[in-house]
PDB file of all heavy atoms in Angstrom:
ATOM      1  N   ALA C   1      64.119  35.450 -12.941  1.00 98.00           N
ATOM      2  CA  ALA C   1      65.162  35.449 -11.907  1.00 98.00           C
ATOM      3  C   ALA C   1      66.549  35.247 -12.514  1.00 98.00           C
ATOM      4  O   ALA C   1      67.515  34.975 -11.790  1.00 98.00           O
ATOM      5  CB  ALA C   1      64.874  34.354 -10.889  1.00 98.00           C
ATOM      6  N   ASP C   2      66.631  35.379 -13.849  1.00 98.00           N
ATOM      7  CA  ASP C   2      67.892  35.220 -14.585  1.00 98.00           C
ATOM      8  C   ASP C   2      68.417  33.791 -14.542  1.00 98.00           C
ATOM      9  O   ASP C   2      69.619  33.555 -14.733  1.00 98.00           O
ATOM     10  CB  ASP C   2      68.973  36.180 -14.065  1.00 98.00           C
ATOM     11  CG  ASP C   2      68.638  37.635 -14.338  1.00 98.00           C
ATOM     12  OD1 ASP C   2      68.039  37.914 -15.397  1.00 98.00           O
ATOM     13  OD2 ASP C   2      68.964  38.485 -13.496  1.00 98.00           O
ATOM     14  N   VAL C   3      67.540  32.826 -14.280  1.00 98.00           N
ATOM     15  CA  VAL C   3      67.935  31.417 -14.277  1.00 98.00           C
ATOM     16  C   VAL C   3      67.680  30.853 -15.672  1.00 98.00           C
ATOM     17  O   VAL C   3      66.531  30.690 -16.085  1.00 98.00           O
ATOM     18  CB  VAL C   3      67.147  30.613 -13.230  1.00 98.00           C
ATOM     19  CG1 VAL C   3      67.563  29.147 -13.264  1.00 98.00           C
ATOM     20  CG2 VAL C   3      67.354  31.202 -11.846  1.00 98.00           C
ATOM     21  N   THR C   4      68.741  30.563 -16.394  1.00 98.00           N
ATOM     22  CA  THR C   4      68.622  30.029 -17.750  1.00 98.00           C
ATOM     23  C   THR C   4      69.349  28.707 -17.923  1.00 98.00           C
ATOM     24  O   THR C   4      69.111  27.999 -18.904  1.00 98.00           O
ATOM     25  CB  THR C   4      69.178  31.032 -18.782  1.00 98.00           C
ATOM     26  OG1 THR C   4      70.564  31.289 -18.488  1.00 98.00           O
ATOM     27  CG2 THR C   4      68.398  32.341 -18.739  1.00 98.00           C
ATOM     28  N   ASP C   5      70.228  28.374 -16.992  1.00 98.00           N
ATOM     29  CA  ASP C   5      71.051  27.173 -17.122  1.00 98.00           C
ATOM     30  C   ASP C   5      71.120  26.488 -15.765  1.00 98.00           C
ATOM     31  O   ASP C   5      71.760  26.978 -14.838  1.00 98.00           O
ATOM     32  CB  ASP C   5      72.455  27.562 -17.604  1.00 98.00           C
ATOM     33  CG  ASP C   5      73.400  26.377 -17.725  1.00 98.00           C
ATOM     34  OD1 ASP C   5      72.953  25.229 -17.537  1.00 98.00           O
ATOM     35  OD2 ASP C   5      74.588  26.601 -18.010  1.00 98.00           O
ATOM     36  N   ALA C   6      70.441  25.342 -15.647  1.00 98.00           N
ATOM     37  CA  ALA C   6      70.401  24.655 -14.357  1.00 98.00           C
ATOM     38  C   ALA C   6      71.779  24.192 -13.909  1.00 98.00           C
ATOM     39  O   ALA C   6      72.038  24.094 -12.704  1.00 98.00           O
ATOM     40  CB  ALA C   6      69.458  23.454 -14.433  1.00 98.00           C
ATOM     41  N   THR C   7      72.670  23.914 -14.841  1.00 98.00           N
ATOM     42  CA  THR C   7      73.998  23.438 -14.462  1.00 98.00           C
ATOM     43  C   THR C   7      74.793  24.499 -13.724  1.00 98.00           C
ATOM     44  O   THR C   7      75.817  24.188 -13.110  1.00 98.00           O
ATOM     45  CB  THR C   7      74.785  22.953 -15.689  1.00 98.00           C
ATOM     46  OG1 THR C   7      75.055  24.066 -16.559  1.00 98.00           O
ATOM     47  CG2 THR C   7      74.004  21.899 -16.460  1.00 98.00           C
ATOM     48  N   ALA C   8      74.318  25.743 -13.768  1.00 98.00           N
ATOM     49  CA  ALA C   8      74.971  26.832 -13.047  1.00 98.00           C
ATOM     50  C   ALA C   8      74.122  27.282 -11.866  1.00 98.00           C
ATOM     51  O   ALA C   8      74.141  28.456 -11.482  1.00 98.00           O
ATOM     52  CB  ALA C   8      75.232  28.009 -13.988  1.00 98.00           C
ATOM     53  N   THR C   9      73.342  26.342 -11.295  1.00 98.00           N
ATOM     54  CA  THR C   9      72.494  26.686 -10.158  1.00 98.00           C
ATOM     55  C   THR C   9      72.670  25.699  -9.012  1.00 98.00           C
ATOM     56  O   THR C   9      73.017  24.535  -9.210  1.00 98.00           O
ATOM     57  CB  THR C   9      70.995  26.694 -10.535  1.00 98.00           C
ATOM     58  OG1 THR C   9      70.569  25.359 -10.826  1.00 98.00           O
ATOM     59  CG2 THR C   9      70.725  27.592 -11.724  1.00 98.00           C
ATOM     60  N   ILE C  10      72.412  26.202  -7.820  1.00 98.00           N
ATOM     61  CA  ILE C  10      72.203  25.375  -6.627  1.00 98.00           C
ATOM     62  C   ILE C  10      70.802  25.678  -6.133  1.00 98.00           C
ATOM     63  O   ILE C  10      70.421  26.838  -5.986  1.00 98.00           O
ATOM     64  CB  ILE C  10      73.233  25.693  -5.527  1.00 98.00           C
ATOM     65  CG1 ILE C  10      74.635  25.243  -5.946  1.00 98.00           C
ATOM     66  CG2 ILE C  10      72.838  25.028  -4.205  1.00 98.00           C
ATOM     67  CD1 ILE C  10      75.723  25.666  -4.973  1.00 98.00           C
ATOM     68  N   SER C  11      70.011  24.633  -5.901  1.00 98.00           N
ATOM     69  CA  SER C  11      68.628  24.793  -5.466  1.00 98.00           C
ATOM     70  C   SER C  11      68.508  24.488  -3.980  1.00 98.00           C
ATOM     71  O   SER C  11      69.058  23.502  -3.489  1.00 98.00           O
ATOM     72  CB  SER C  11      67.727  23.851  -6.279  1.00 98.00           C
ATOM     73  OG  SER C  11      66.368  23.998  -5.911  1.00 98.00           O
ATOM     74  N   TYR C  12      67.765  25.332  -3.269  1.00 98.00           N
ATOM     75  CA  TYR C  12      67.517  25.066  -1.858  1.00 98.00           C
ATOM     76  C   TYR C  12      66.114  25.525  -1.499  1.00 98.00           C
ATOM     77  O   TYR C  12      65.437  26.224  -2.265  1.00 98.00           O
ATOM     78  CB  TYR C  12      68.562  25.734  -0.964  1.00 98.00           C
ATOM     79  CG  TYR C  12      68.319  27.199  -0.643  1.00 98.00           C
ATOM     80  CD1 TYR C  12      67.712  27.589   0.551  1.00 98.00           C
ATOM     81  CD2 TYR C  12      68.710  28.208  -1.532  1.00 98.00           C
ATOM     82  CE1 TYR C  12      67.498  28.930   0.851  1.00 98.00           C
ATOM     83  CE2 TYR C  12      68.498  29.546  -1.238  1.00 98.00           C
ATOM     84  CZ  TYR C  12      67.890  29.913  -0.053  1.00 98.00           C
ATOM     85  OH  TYR C  12      67.672  31.237   0.245  1.00 98.00           O
ATOM     86  N   CYS C  13      65.667  25.125  -0.323  1.00 98.00           N
ATOM     87  CA  CYS C  13      64.376  25.559   0.209  1.00 98.00           C
ATOM     88  C   CYS C  13      64.513  25.585   1.726  1.00 98.00           C
ATOM     89  O   CYS C  13      65.588  25.888   2.233  1.00 98.00           O
ATOM     90  CB  CYS C  13      63.250  24.637  -0.263  1.00 98.00           C
ATOM     91  SG  CYS C  13      63.500  22.900   0.173  1.00 98.00           S
ATOM     92  N   GLY C  14      63.467  25.247   2.453  1.00 96.00           N
ATOM     93  CA  GLY C  14      63.584  25.225   3.904  1.00 96.00           C
ATOM     94  C   GLY C  14      64.430  24.074   4.402  1.00 96.00           C
ATOM     95  O   GLY C  14      65.261  24.242   5.291  1.00 96.00           O
ATOM     96  N   SER C  15      64.214  22.886   3.814  1.00 95.00           N
ATOM     97  CA  SER C  15      64.935  21.710   4.313  1.00 95.00           C
ATOM     98  C   SER C  15      65.242  20.687   3.225  1.00 95.00           C
ATOM     99  O   SER C  15      65.412  19.506   3.521  1.00 95.00           O
ATOM    100  CB  SER C  15      64.120  21.043   5.427  1.00 95.00           C
ATOM    101  OG  SER C  15      62.878  20.574   4.925  1.00 95.00           O
ATOM    102  N   GLY C  16      65.312  21.125   1.973  1.00 96.00           N
ATOM    103  CA  GLY C  16      65.761  20.226   0.917  1.00 96.00           C
ATOM    104  C   GLY C  16      64.692  19.346   0.307  1.00 96.00           C
ATOM    105  O   GLY C  16      65.012  18.376  -0.374  1.00 96.00           O
ATOM    106  N   VAL C  17      63.417  19.658   0.518  1.00 98.00           N
ATOM    107  CA  VAL C  17      62.332  18.864  -0.063  1.00 98.00           C
ATOM    108  C   VAL C  17      61.805  19.537  -1.328  1.00 98.00           C
ATOM    109  O   VAL C  17      61.968  19.035  -2.438  1.00 98.00           O
ATOM    110  CB  VAL C  17      61.198  18.625   0.968  1.00 98.00           C
ATOM    111  CG1 VAL C  17      60.028  17.888   0.314  1.00 98.00           C
ATOM    112  CG2 VAL C  17      61.724  17.810   2.147  1.00 98.00           C
ATOM    113  N   THR C  18      61.176  20.706  -1.180  1.00 98.00           N
ATOM    114  CA  THR C  18      60.578  21.347  -2.353  1.00 98.00           C
ATOM    115  C   THR C  18      61.628  21.869  -3.328  1.00 98.00           C
ATOM    116  O   THR C  18      61.320  22.091  -4.507  1.00 98.00           O
ATOM    117  CB  THR C  18      59.631  22.489  -1.942  1.00 98.00           C
ATOM    118  OG1 THR C  18      60.369  23.523  -1.279  1.00 98.00           O
ATOM    119  CG2 THR C  18      58.535  21.978  -1.027  1.00 98.00           C
ATOM    120  N   ALA C  19      62.859  22.054  -2.867  1.00 98.00           N
ATOM    121  CA  ALA C  19      63.935  22.451  -3.786  1.00 98.00           C
ATOM    122  C   ALA C  19      64.109  21.431  -4.900  1.00 98.00           C
ATOM    123  O   ALA C  19      64.538  21.771  -6.006  1.00 98.00           O
ATOM    124  CB  ALA C  19      65.245  22.620  -3.025  1.00 98.00           C
ATOM    125  N   CYS C  20      63.780  20.173  -4.608  1.00 98.00           N
ATOM    126  CA  CYS C  20      63.900  19.124  -5.626  1.00 98.00           C
ATOM    127  C   CYS C  20      62.929  19.357  -6.775  1.00 98.00           C
ATOM    128  O   CYS C  20      63.200  18.976  -7.921  1.00 98.00           O
ATOM    129  CB  CYS C  20      63.641  17.762  -5.002  1.00 98.00           C
ATOM    130  SG  CYS C  20      64.863  17.267  -3.770  1.00 98.00           S
ATOM    131  N   HIS C  21      61.795  19.980  -6.473  1.00 98.00           N
ATOM    132  CA  HIS C  21      60.810  20.225  -7.530  1.00 98.00           C
ATOM    133  C   HIS C  21      61.372  21.187  -8.567  1.00 98.00           C
ATOM    134  O   HIS C  21      61.240  20.961  -9.777  1.00 98.00           O
ATOM    135  CB  HIS C  21      59.517  20.778  -6.932  1.00 98.00           C
ATOM    136  CG  HIS C  21      58.360  20.784  -7.881  1.00 98.00           C
ATOM    137  ND1 HIS C  21      58.026  21.875  -8.644  1.00 98.00           N
ATOM    138  CD2 HIS C  21      57.465  19.814  -8.207  1.00 98.00           C
ATOM    139  CE1 HIS C  21      56.966  21.595  -9.384  1.00 98.00           C
ATOM    140  NE2 HIS C  21      56.613  20.344  -9.138  1.00 98.00           N
ATOM    141  N   ASN C  22      62.001  22.270  -8.106  1.00 98.00           N
ATOM    142  CA  ASN C  22      62.609  23.193  -9.063  1.00 98.00           C
ATOM    143  C   ASN C  22      63.677  22.501  -9.910  1.00 98.00           C
ATOM    144  O   ASN C  22      63.813  22.760 -11.102  1.00 98.00           O
ATOM    145  CB  ASN C  22      63.214  24.396  -8.339  1.00 98.00           C
ATOM    146  CG  ASN C  22      62.249  25.565  -8.229  1.00 98.00           C
ATOM    147  OD1 ASN C  22      61.158  25.554  -8.795  1.00 98.00           O
ATOM    148  ND2 ASN C  22      62.653  26.595  -7.503  1.00 98.00           N
ATOM    149  N   LEU C  23      64.452  21.621  -9.290  1.00 98.00           N
ATOM    150  CA  LEU C  23      65.480  20.900 -10.049  1.00 98.00           C
ATOM    151  C   LEU C  23      64.857  20.030 -11.126  1.00 98.00           C
ATOM    152  O   LEU C  23      65.339  19.986 -12.271  1.00 98.00           O
ATOM    153  CB  LEU C  23      66.324  20.049  -9.102  1.00 98.00           C
ATOM    154  CG  LEU C  23      67.269  20.812  -8.180  1.00 98.00           C
ATOM    155  CD1 LEU C  23      67.852  19.888  -7.122  1.00 98.00           C
ATOM    156  CD2 LEU C  23      68.392  21.478  -8.974  1.00 98.00           C
ATOM    157  N   LEU C  24      63.770  19.339 -10.791  1.00 98.00           N
ATOM    158  CA  LEU C  24      63.104  18.487 -11.779  1.00 98.00           C
ATOM    159  C   LEU C  24      62.449  19.310 -12.877  1.00 98.00           C
ATOM    160  O   LEU C  24      62.473  18.924 -14.054  1.00 98.00           O
ATOM    161  CB  LEU C  24      62.064  17.600 -11.090  1.00 98.00           C
ATOM    162  CG  LEU C  24      62.601  16.576 -10.104  1.00 98.00           C
ATOM    163  CD1 LEU C  24      61.441  15.812  -9.462  1.00 98.00           C
ATOM    164  CD2 LEU C  24      63.569  15.611 -10.755  1.00 98.00           C
ATOM    165  N   VAL C  25      61.863  20.442 -12.510  1.00 98.00           N
ATOM    166  CA  VAL C  25      61.236  21.298 -13.515  1.00 98.00           C
ATOM    167  C   VAL C  25      62.285  21.825 -14.492  1.00 98.00           C
ATOM    168  O   VAL C  25      62.078  21.820 -15.714  1.00 98.00           O
ATOM    169  CB  VAL C  25      60.477  22.461 -12.846  1.00 98.00           C
ATOM    170  CG1 VAL C  25      60.040  23.490 -13.894  1.00 98.00           C
ATOM    171  CG2 VAL C  25      59.255  21.939 -12.100  1.00 98.00           C
ATOM    172  N   MET C  26      63.422  22.281 -13.984  1.00 98.00           N
ATOM    173  CA  MET C  26      64.468  22.779 -14.877  1.00 98.00           C
ATOM    174  C   MET C  26      64.958  21.679 -15.813  1.00 98.00           C
ATOM    175  O   MET C  26      65.165  21.918 -17.010  1.00 98.00           O
ATOM    176  CB  MET C  26      65.622  23.361 -14.059  1.00 98.00           C
ATOM    177  CG  MET C  26      65.294  24.683 -13.401  1.00 98.00           C
ATOM    178  SD  MET C  26      66.741  25.510 -12.651  1.00 98.00           S
ATOM    179  CE  MET C  26      66.982  24.492 -11.186  1.00 98.00           C
ATOM    180  N   GLU C  27      65.120  20.487 -15.293  1.00 98.00           N
ATOM    181  CA  GLU C  27      65.535  19.377 -16.154  1.00 98.00           C
ATOM    182  C   GLU C  27      64.468  19.088 -17.202  1.00 98.00           C
ATOM    183  O   GLU C  27      64.769  18.850 -18.372  1.00 98.00           O
ATOM    184  CB  GLU C  27      65.805  18.140 -15.306  1.00 98.00           C
ATOM    185  CG  GLU C  27      66.334  16.967 -16.121  1.00 98.00           C
ATOM    186  CD  GLU C  27      66.565  15.719 -15.297  1.00 98.00           C
ATOM    187  OE1 GLU C  27      66.427  15.770 -14.052  1.00 98.00           O
ATOM    188  OE2 GLU C  27      66.881  14.678 -15.904  1.00 98.00           O
ATOM    189  N   HIS C  28      63.207  19.111 -16.800  1.00 97.00           N
ATOM    190  CA  HIS C  28      62.079  18.867 -17.701  1.00 97.00           C
ATOM    191  C   HIS C  28      62.051  19.888 -18.838  1.00 97.00           C
ATOM    192  O   HIS C  28      61.693  19.565 -19.978  1.00 97.00           O
ATOM    193  CB  HIS C  28      60.782  18.928 -16.899  1.00 97.00           C
ATOM    194  CG  HIS C  28      59.553  18.631 -17.677  1.00 97.00           C
ATOM    195  ND1 HIS C  28      59.263  17.388 -18.181  1.00 97.00           N
ATOM    196  CD2 HIS C  28      58.500  19.429 -18.023  1.00 97.00           C
ATOM    197  CE1 HIS C  28      58.102  17.411 -18.817  1.00 97.00           C
ATOM    198  NE2 HIS C  28      57.618  18.647 -18.729  1.00 97.00           N
ATOM    199  N   LEU C  29      62.442  21.121 -18.529  1.00 97.00           N
ATOM    200  CA  LEU C  29      62.450  22.188 -19.533  1.00 97.00           C
ATOM    201  C   LEU C  29      63.681  22.154 -20.424  1.00 97.00           C
ATOM    202  O   LEU C  29      63.817  22.996 -21.315  1.00 97.00           O
ATOM    203  CB  LEU C  29      62.372  23.547 -18.837  1.00 97.00           C
ATOM    204  CG  LEU C  29      61.071  23.871 -18.099  1.00 97.00           C
ATOM    205  CD1 LEU C  29      61.213  25.167 -17.326  1.00 97.00           C
ATOM    206  CD2 LEU C  29      59.899  23.938 -19.066  1.00 97.00           C
ATOM    207  N   GLY C  30      64.568  21.200 -20.200  1.00 97.00           N
ATOM    208  CA  GLY C  30      65.779  21.104 -21.018  1.00 97.00           C
ATOM    209  C   GLY C  30      66.876  22.050 -20.592  1.00 97.00           C
ATOM    210  O   GLY C  30      67.797  22.330 -21.368  1.00 97.00           O
TER     211      GLY C  30
END
């Protein structure tokens, strides 16, 4: 999806719950 740098992303989902998982995964991946 061309996502390589989390600092240049905004994460969302239906209501702000599962979007947090993507944020944590990106941080986990460095």
Side-chain angles (χ1 to χ4, degrees):
D2 294 325
V3 179
T4 60
D5 178 5
T7 66
T9 68
I10 292 174
S11 181
Y12 83 97
C13 57
S15 63
V17 176
T18 64
C20 295
H21 192 266
N22 267 353
L23 289 169
L24 295 178
V25 170
M26 288 189 286
E27 184 182 354
H28 183 68
L29 293 173

